[in-house]
Amino acid sequence: MRDVKERLTDDMGLPPAPGAEQHAALDLANSAPALPGGRFTDLLGTPQAANHWLTAHGLAPADAGLRETCAAQLRSLREHLRSLIAARVEGHTPPAGALNAVNDALTRAPAAALLQWSPERGPYRATAHPATQILEHALAALAADAADLLTGPDADRLTACGSAPCNRYLLRHGRRHWCSTRCGDRARAARAYARRTGRTEED
């Protein structure tokens, strides 16, 4: 995950949000960050970018050659994960479609170590991972990580970045509600401006 942190910082000046280095699913949910000035960037916007993201997370080889249909599936899972995380953070019932999508991804690749045989080794157990199923295994791994995040001890620490217009999620540490130093500085500057002018951020 060190490469992920360096890549994000180099590309956008944004380090991974707290918790995203431990949970690839959280980093996936944050892979289309909103930037000041109404700008957005999408780290999965092209097949090459999606391949790069998966490679940085150890989920695909650099030469996987993902196609647009693969990148679109990854972006779709991202939106479903964002819906589930938002529901958890806001205390709402998650959309059934998002739950179904994650469960579908969980079952796309075999998790059990199947019984195999070769002339050299004889019988042995291994998880099947044919090259044609790189994306299926990546989606299954991300869905499993999301399920662990949403049902594990870190779930209560999930929160949205408190600095508009940022749309990233993070794992809260203490009272920190910002995904980066930049967002924290922007939020403090906005509050200071509001105090000086008597305005709110919505004004």
Side-chain angles (χ1 to χ4, degrees), residues 113-146:
L114 304 179
L115 184 62
Q116 311 277 354
W117 185 89
S118 73
E120 297 79 18
R121 298 176 59 184
Y124 67 98
R125 294 188 68 185
T127 302
H129 192 167
T132 55
Q133 293 185 358
I134 289 172
L135 181 68
E136 285 79 3
H137 278 265
L139 293 174
L142 289 164
D145 185 61

Side-chain angles (χ1 to χ4, degrees), residues 46-140:
T46 66
Q48 295 78 15
N51 200 147
H52 183 67
W53 190 94
L54 289 173
T55 300
H57 288 76
L59 294 171
D63 60 352
L66 295 189
R67 299 179 182 237
E68 174 53 30
T69 54
C70 299
Q73 288 181 64
L74 192 57
R75 292 193 297 267
S76 178
L77 180 62
R78 173 180 66 196
E79 296 314 308
H80 290 305
L81 291 185
R82 286 186 62 81
S83 293
L84 292 173
I85 292 172
R88 181 65 174 81
V89 168
E90 297 164 12
H92 297 155
T93 301
L99 286 170
N100 291 338
V102 170
N103 285 330
D104 178 65
L106 278 168
T107 60
R108 285 193 179 205
L114 304 179
L115 184 62
Q116 311 277 354
W117 185 89
S118 73
E120 297 79 18
R121 298 176 59 184
Y124 67 98
R125 294 188 68 185
T127 302
H129 192 167
T132 55
Q133 293 185 358
I134 289 172
L135 181 68
E136 285 79 3
H137 278 265
L139 293 174

